[in-house]
Every structure is written in structure tokens, then in C-alpha cells.
Amino acid sequence: MSAIVSLRDVSVHFGSSRAVDGVSVDVKPGEVLALVGESGSGKTTLIRAIQGLQPVTSGEITHTPAPGARPAGSDRSRGNRGVQMIFQDPTGALNPRQTIYEIVAEGLRIRKESKDEAARVARALSRAGLRPPERFFPMYPHQISGGQRQRVVIAGAMVMEPDLLLADEPVASLDASIRGEILALMLDLVGETGLSILVVTHDLGLAWNIADRVAVMYLGRIVELGPTEQILGSPKHPYTRALLSVVPETNRMEQQILTGEIPDSRRIPVGCRFHPRCPLFQSGTLPDEVASRCITEDPDQLDSSANWSVACWAVAAEGKPEDGSVGA
Amino acid sequence: MSRPVLSVKDLTITYNSSAGPVPAVRGVSFDLAVGESLGLAGESGCGKSTLANSLLRLLPEGTVTSGEVTIDGQDLFALSPGGLRAVRWTTGAIVFQGALHALNPVQTAGRQVCEPMHIHETVASDDEARARSRQLFERVGLSANLLEAYPHQLSGGQRQRVLIAMALACDPQLLIADEPTTALDLMVQAQVLALIAELRKESSLSLIFITHDLSVLTYVADRLAIMYAGRIVEQGPSLDVFQNATHPYTKALAAAFPTIGDPASRRAPSGLAGDPPTPGALPPGCPFHPRCPLAEDRCSTIEPDLRSSGPGREAACVLI
């Protein structure tokens, strides 16, 4: 099946800062893809580019509407209607002076799609779990709970009947007990409407909860991509391994705490961008011919058509992961 | 057991708002032994930050407090302003969340770390303070040349380390950390947690660690206290409570943090319907009953007290 959104060698540079630096990835119809990484990895810039709010410096983003979907709008300033976004903080995303009805109807009004407005708003609210929807029409954001506010944000996106939902840390600002409700809703939406979700998060537990595939981003590049079970069960890339080792639950594996923070995207290290922090490279145990590649050659971008791919010279030297390819 | 560094008995804290009294903490008791680490967990509005701030009397004017807090043998509420100043920083110090706002933007990091030492005269001279701040920076893993840096020149993780260095400046016995890692990335959070673990190993520092993230607490806390609507509803050894919760609220909260690799939580996020109650409008009976999957009729009239639920454990639920 063809991808809903296909990224080919996408870069977004701000002056000398290479925030997104060569990303190729597909979002398939009906899948939940988690883009994980730390602050400064470029994940927020990348989804702004997919939404059409951030011009790309080079590369290509192709949106192929799902069969039967309305054609995508061509007006960049309004973004792409087939691609809708939900943000982290529902309270900040909602205008306190608008009723729930007005908030959810806003997207339709901007696009002057006034036909069946009330029915469409009701359907979106109900889809987001706010039932009966008419009860919520006249209410203001302060009259509903935090969990319900995030549902209103989701309804505001769903009213446009998107085929791709971009979610930037959708539960990071919510209380723990509400988190699960919103994630379950996202899974329901995929099941009921067949839409795809690209969720940006630093929470690997969230990926385990809802994602079909995980893409791990480091310093503007996806370094490992594959099915959730594999990426979170037996990660190959040393960065993914380190991230997983510090998830503070039960200590399943020895912690590998990397020193320092993600480098400045204006000064991306030469060779493999991860090598200055890489526990494998720093251990000095790599064969010379591998280690010398780490400091001189940038591993190629991942093969986005492979089931599981890793951008690491050491992994490449070891052999391919099971039925996957190594981007090197 | 030696005298606890902190003893809290039946602490009640009520804010006065324009809409009337708001009970934020409703009868909390616990002891903290020397060198012990207590994790306080709960959601927004459960009273955990109010409790933390009250332990150094940092609550806003007009807040009504009752009960007893004994810190290092002294009655906290009877302390004179001078006595209170002596307790802050030297006996107990607090590290807040949001490291950007807790630092003065127009002073260098080094000067801010020296400030409590000067105020409390724990150092005899500027030189001594500077030498100690260099030591502290080394202890929290910051390079000494960052002493001259201003907060905006530091990353989030570095700022959090500066705050920890500042809190340690006067060698306190008790460190209160209020969501110190919440705004940080996973890897930086791991660095800060490892630092705190190391500091505890080096000295007999006692720790109160507050967060909404139960999984973090299993790593840093010996004991765990779960708060809901201003009360402790469950407490006990941390891993034990996290893995075998008895209170239905603790169970739901623990399930919200999935164990990666556990098939039970794969594609099955777990949550609770409803929101935590607002402190000004608590439901009658057990305040958790409107969200509780096991609630019975009596739960809407009885607010249960903590009772024994296993070795070293207590929970407040009529079903226990």
C-alpha cells in the first residue's frame, strides 16, 4: 500500500543550524508511527514541515490522500487539511472565550465549509468521546476537565476528517491517570476511521502503548527505524540502546547514561553524528576499520522501505538485523 | 532507630481563596529517618507541592496550618524568623522544578551558589565561598568554568545541576526535590537521578522526592507515599508499592506507566476515567470513589483512614 506521507531526504536548515538533516521515512495508512528523541533532535521541526508550516530546505514531502478522502488543500498558509495537528498543552491550545462548538467548528469556518456544520461538529465531538456532543456545544474550556480539553483539541482536528494526525507530545502535560484515556482514544480513532498517526514523544512507554513502528531521531537524522517490538525489545543502535536503558522502571538492563546533551545542530560532528557520545565507540573495543569509519564517514540514511533499519557502522560490520537492512 | 530528621504529625494545610477555604493537605503524618529517601507521588492538586513547601514554611501568607512538623528536633511552627532562616538551607534545602525560573537571570551561576553560604555565614571569606562553589560544581558534575556562566547560557540539565549545587551549599541534612526532573529529557533525567543517588551514597543526606512519575520514584526512593486529594492513601517500600499496589488509585497510577516489553500493556494504554478532584470541591466519603472501579455504596459516605496492608505498608481503602 502506498504511504500517506512520504519523506525523501528532507532537510530543514536555519542558517547554519541543520535542525532536520536528511530524513527519509514513510507513514503508512492506518499506522501509528512514534518519532522518539530528545529535545534538539529536530522532531518538532520535522512535523511542522510535514504539516506544511515549515518550508523544507531540500528533499521532498509527498502527501497522498487516502482513497475516498477529499483532495488536499493547496494553500500552504492554511496547512494541509488532510494533515491535522494536536498539541501538547490543551489549555494553551484552546481559546478561553470561545465555546466548545466554536472551537471545533473553527477549521471548517476557515475553509468556508459551512455545509452540515453542526452535524460535523457533533460527529467530531462524539468521535473524541465527548457524548452526547450537544451537551458540550455551549460550554467554555474552563467548564470542562483537563482530559476533556484534550478531547476537544482532538475533535478540532478530527472535524477536518484528516488521514494523518500529527501529535506533538499529546499526553506530556496531562495527569498520569488521564494519559491512558487519551492514548486509548487515539488507538480507537485509528481503528474506527483508518487514519494514520505520527506521534512525537520522548516517552518510550507511550510508544509501547500505541505505536506500530518507532523511529529514533538523533541530531536531525533518524538513526533507527522498525517495528515497536523489535526497537524496544532488542534495539541495535547504540543510541536507542542507551535511551532504553535509562527508562526508569525496573532495571532490566545495565544503565548506559550518556554524558552531556545533544550537541548544537550548528555543529554536527563529522563522521557518525553520534560517535562523540557513543558508548560503543568510546569503549575502544571496535575494530580499527570500523572506528575509523565512525569518525570520518556519515552513515547513509536509512532505507525507508526496509522492515528494520539502523544507521550505525558497528552494526553494519556485525551483519544485518533479522529481515532488515542496515543503512550503511 | 535514631531520631528522625523530619517528623510530620497530622498536618493540615488550608489555603484561603476568594471562593472560600481550600483544603490542600488534610491530615498527613510520616517520619523520615536520617539517610532515608521518601518519594511523594500524586497528580495535580493532590497537595504534594503544598506539603513540600510547608516543610520549610514557604507557603503564602494567610495559609492556615495545623498539626506538627519537627525538623532536626525543632518545632517548625514555633521557630522565630531567625530560627527559621537558620533551618532553611542549613538543615533543609529545596530544589524546585522549572530550573529556568528558579535562577536569577542577571547573576552568574557561581555567585548564586555562593549566596546561601554568605547569608548563613558558613564560610569566612569570599575566597572560601568560591573554593566551595568550585567543589560543589565538581560534585554535581559541572565544569568549573561554568561558574562564570549566566543561566541563559546553560542547558536545562546544567541549570538543574546548579540548583542542586545551590541546595547543597550549606550542607543540609534534608533535601526536598519538587519535580526536579519533570522538564528534562530522558537522558538528562537519568543523569540527574544518578547524581542524586550518588550524593545520597556519599553522605547521610535524607531526601524527599516529589513527582507524578511513579516509575522515577522506584529508582530514587526507599519508601513511597501516594497522595490523593490531600491525604496519603498508600505507603510502603517503593518497589513493593509500585509492583503490588493495594489501593485502587495506586494500581491505576502504576498501570499508567507501562513496563516496556510487557505484553499486557502493548497496544493497551491504561487509564482512569475522570479527573483528580479540585481541592475546593471534594466528593463526600472517599474522595476517590467517583473514579474508583471497585467503589461500593459505603464508599460515598466513609472516608477510610490508613490501615496496615502488609509488612511496612498501609493503605486507606475500605476494601483492605
Side-chain angles (χ1 to χ4, degrees):
Chain A
M1 240 191 300
S2 70
I4 291 289
V5 159
S6 184
L7 281 75
R8 289 287 163 273
D9 199 11
V10 170
S11 291
V12 179
H13 295 175
F14 302 100
S16 59
S17 161
R18 295 185 274 157
V20 175
D21 195 38
V23 166
S24 298
V25 67
D26 290 342
V27 183
K28 300 172 193 168
E31 82 164 339
V32 180
L33 174 65
L35 188 61
V36 304
E38 299 173 88
S39 319
S41 61
K43 52 195 198 309
T44 298
T45 306
L46 186 64
I47 60 167
R48 284 179 56 82
I50 295 172
Q51 201 191 8
L53 295 177
Q54 173 63 56
V56 301
T57 310
S58 63
E60 208 180 321
I61 299 178
T62 324
H63 176 231
T64 314
R70 287 155 214 259
S74 56
D75 184 349
R76 276 256 148 140
S77 69
R78 288 173 185 171
N80 185 339
R81 65 160 294 163
V83 180
Q84 291 295 319
M85 173 112 172
I86 55 176
F87 293 96
Q88 182 177 142
D89 172 18
T91 308
L94 300 177
N95 182 342
R97 292 167 191 277
Q98 282 187 327
T99 62
I100 305 301
Y101 181 90
E102 288 166 331
I103 290 168
V104 176
E106 188 168 336
L108 297 173
R109 290 178 180 178
I110 287 172
R111 291 191 178 270
K112 304 197 166 54
E113 296 183 18
S114 52
K115 197 165 167 264
D116 302 331
E117 185 184 271
R120 291 173 72 180
V121 170
R123 190 162 63 221
L125 282 171
S126 155
R127 202 151 252 170
L130 297 170
R131 300 184 195 111
E134 290 76 13
R135 185 165 75 85
F136 291 91
F137 281 1
M139 295 172 104
Y140 287 88
H142 75 269
Q143 294 172 304
I144 59 176
S145 71
Q148 289 173 331
R149 281 196 283 267
Q150 188 62 305
R151 289 173 188 270
V152 170
V153 172
I154 292 172
M158 290 308 292
V159 79
M160 304 308 294
E161 294 165 40
D163 46 28
L164 175 64
L165 203 56
L166 303 172
D168 191 357
E169 297 284 8
V171 295
S173 69
L174 300 179
D175 270 316
S177 65
I178 300 167
R179 171 188 183 280
E181 294 277 292
I182 297 296
L183 295 180
L185 169 64
M186 291 168 67
L187 277 185
D188 288 347
L189 291 175
V190 171
E192 284 166 20
T193 69
L195 94 167
S196 309
I197 299 181
L198 177 59
V199 57
V200 164
T201 185
H202 65 274
D203 179 352
L204 297 178
L206 183 158
W208 180 254
N209 270 159
I210 66 168
D212 300 300
R213 290 195 302 153
V214 175
V216 181
M217 201 159 170
Y218 185 78
L219 206 49
R221 183 76 61 86
I222 292 174
V223 297
E224 184 162 10
L225 171 69
T228 303
E229 277 85 359
Q230 272 89 329
I231 301 290
L232 299 184
S234 46
K236 299 275 182 197
H237 196 285
Y239 179 62
T240 317
R241 299 179 67 90
L243 268 188
L244 202 66
S245 80
V246 299
V247 173
E249 38 178 46
T250 39
N251 300 323
R252 287 175 300 129
M253 44 205 283
E254 196 188 334
Q255 281 209 326
Q256 288 183 335
I257 300 181
L258 304 176
T259 53
E261 289 167 43
I262 290 195
D264 191 326
S265 60
R266 282 170 300 191
R267 287 184 288 275
I268 293 180
V270 176
C272 169
R273 59 195 64 215
F274 184 57
H275 87 265
R277 298 176 77 201
C278 177
L280 208 52
F281 176 79
Q282 300 296 340
S283 71
T285 56
L286 289 176
D288 286 349
E289 67 273 16
V290 175
S292 67
R293 292 188 105 175
C294 296
I295 55 174
T296 54
E297 281 181 65
D298 193 357
D300 290 342
Q301 289 170 38
L302 301 176
D303 174 3
S304 59
S305 64
N307 180 40
W308 182 4
S309 50
V310 185
C312 170
W313 292 121
V315 174
E318 256 176 32
K320 295 181 170 198
E322 262 173 81
D323 76 288
S325 91
V326 173
Chain B
M1 205 165 76
S2 62
R3 184 180 77 186
V5 63
L6 180 73
S7 174
V8 175
K9 282 203 178 61
D10 203 19
L11 180 64
T12 298
I13 303 167
T14 308
Y15 291 116
N16 277 311
S17 79
S18 52
V22 178
V25 173
R26 303 182 304 124
V28 163
S29 303
F30 64 89
D31 282 349
L32 187 69
V34 173
E36 191 184 22
S37 158
L38 173 72
L40 270 179
E43 300 176 274
S44 343
C46 74
K48 57 193 193 304
S49 289
T50 299
L51 178 60
N53 286 318
S54 76
L55 300 178
L56 293 175
R57 272 173 63 183
L58 296 170
L59 295 172
E61 197 90 9
T63 308
V64 181
T65 311
S66 72
E68 271 174 54
V69 176
T70 314
I71 184 164
D72 191 27
Q74 302 174 76
D75 178 355
L76 180 76
F77 298 129
L79 285 174
S80 64
L84 185 60
R85 259 202 310 277
V87 164
R88 287 179 188 160
W89 297 106
T90 54
T91 307
I94 188 160
V95 179
F96 294 102
Q97 63 175 315
L100 183 55
H101 306 293
L103 289 168
N104 182 340
V106 297
Q107 267 187 7
T108 63
R111 227 181 116 194
Q112 297 186 59
V113 172
C114 290
E115 196 175 275
M117 300 183 232
H118 288 307
I119 292 172
H120 293 284
E121 296 171 355
T122 56
V123 287
S125 65
D126 273 359
D127 284 349
E128 200 186 327
R130 269 197 292 275
R132 169 125 179 100
S133 60
R134 252 194 306 279
Q135 264 176 18
L136 285 165
F137 262 47
E138 194 181 313
R139 203 166 158 205
V140 300
L142 288 171
S143 124
N145 57 29
L146 293 178
L147 285 164
E148 301 306 319
Y150 288 90
H152 75 270
Q153 297 171 311
L154 302 172
S155 70
Q158 288 171 332
R159 285 194 286 257
Q160 203 63 56
R161 286 171 194 264
V162 170
L163 284 183
I164 294 173
M166 216 162 127
L168 297 174
C170 300
D171 222 352
Q173 303 166 44
L174 169 66
L175 187 67
I176 300 168
D178 187 2
E179 305 260 14
T181 61
T182 301
L184 303 177
D185 269 322
L186 195 54
M187 195 54 71
V188 180
Q189 166 175 292
Q191 293 167 356
V192 172
L193 294 178
L195 167 65
I196 289 174
E198 209 172 292
L199 294 172
R200 288 188 57 218
K201 222 186 293 167
E202 286 167 9
S203 64
S204 58
L205 188 69
S206 306
L207 177 70
I208 293 185
F209 197 105
I210 295 161
T211 177
H212 65 282
D213 188 343
L214 270 190
S215 57
V216 167
L217 289 178
T218 60
Y219 183 73
V220 290
D222 305 323
R223 244 175 356 119
L224 208 56
I226 311 292
M227 288 187 75
Y228 193 81
R231 302 185 83 182
I232 292 176
V233 297
E234 178 156 14
Q235 58 181 336
S238 57
L239 203 58
D240 201 15
V241 170
F242 182 64
Q243 291 178 338
N244 305 298
T246 52
H247 195 287
Y249 176 63
T250 316
K251 277 187 191 153
L253 201 57
F257 300 94
T259 302
I260 292 168
D262 176 8
S265 54
R266 177 74 183 123
R267 286 202 180 86
S270 166
L272 263 178
D275 275 289
T278 18
L282 295 179
C286 169
F288 184 58
H289 87 266
R291 305 174 75 195
C292 181
L294 305 174
E296 301 173 354
D297 285 349
R298 57 183 169 155
C299 298
S300 57
T301 50
I302 310 167
E303 179 159 27
D305 288 323
L306 282 171
R307 62 182 92 176
S308 172
S309 62
R313 296 184 55 173
E314 288 183 304
C317 176
V318 291
L319 299 173
I320 288 153

